[in-house]
Amino acid sequence: MIIKPIRNEKDYNEALDRVDYLMDLNPELGTKESDELEVLALLIEKYEEKAWAIAEPDPIEAIKIRMEEMQLKQKDLVPYIGNKSKVSEILNRKVGLSLNMIYNLSKGLHLPLEVLI
């Protein structure tokens, strides 16, 4: 079989079928079948990452999700953001997060910095 890029669902399904076939053969390492299996697995993985990528939530969504998980109310964010009206503005996307807020929220809500930036 000629190995080719996986560009669509048809190519993807054909690659999966070929992997099933090769897996049933249980080829020894170093054979052309095992090399083909390895290359197909990489192509399938790359296609799946691209076709079904799971995006991280935006910073405000991440904050809201964590608030729900920790059963927090808006007033509970005051120590991390400033005052009650600033918390409301942030959660309603009227103003952006400052670096200081990002740092405080990361520490206080145990969120990775990269999710908040």
Side-chain angles (χ1 to χ4, degrees):
M1 174 182 184
I2 296 174
I3 296 177
K4 60 181 185 165
I6 299 173
R7 295 186 177 100
N8 53 46
E9 285 292 311
K10 181 181 178 286
D11 294 343
Y12 174 71
N13 288 322
E14 287 173 2
L16 288 176
D17 290 342
R18 183 67 181 169
V19 164
D20 285 342
Y21 171 77
L22 292 169
M23 292 289 287
D24 287 342
L25 292 178
N26 195 19
E28 289 192 34
L29 285 176
T31 64
K32 70 177 187 162
E33 289 85 5
S34 74
D35 291 347
E36 181 183 355
L37 182 60
E38 187 175 345
V39 171
L40 281 172
L42 291 171
L43 290 171
I44 289 168
E45 179 181 11
K46 195 68 173 171
Y47 179 79
E48 289 174 345
E49 286 173 2
K50 191 171 100 177
W52 301 303
I54 299 174
E56 291 193 22
D58 72 65
I60 303 307
E61 281 305 308
I63 292 168
K64 289 178 178 180
I65 290 168
R66 186 54 51 99
M67 287 174 66
E68 188 176 312
E69 290 171 351
M70 297 174 73
Q71 299 178 349
L72 299 176
K73 299 198 180 321
Q74 283 191 19
K75 67 178 180 160
D76 298 319
L77 298 185
V78 169
Y80 312 120
I81 292 178
N83 58 46
K84 207 171 177 183
S85 65
K86 185 62 83 175
V87 171
S88 179
E89 290 173 339
I90 294 289
L91 294 178
N92 289 312
R93 302 172 195 274
K94 292 184 180 173
V95 296
L97 293 166
S98 70
L99 290 177
N100 194 39
M101 290 176 198
I102 290 170
Y103 178 78
N104 291 337
L105 288 164
S106 174
K107 294 293 180 205
L109 300 182
H110 309 288
L111 288 168
L113 284 171
E114 52 271 8
V115 169
L116 296 172
I117 294 176

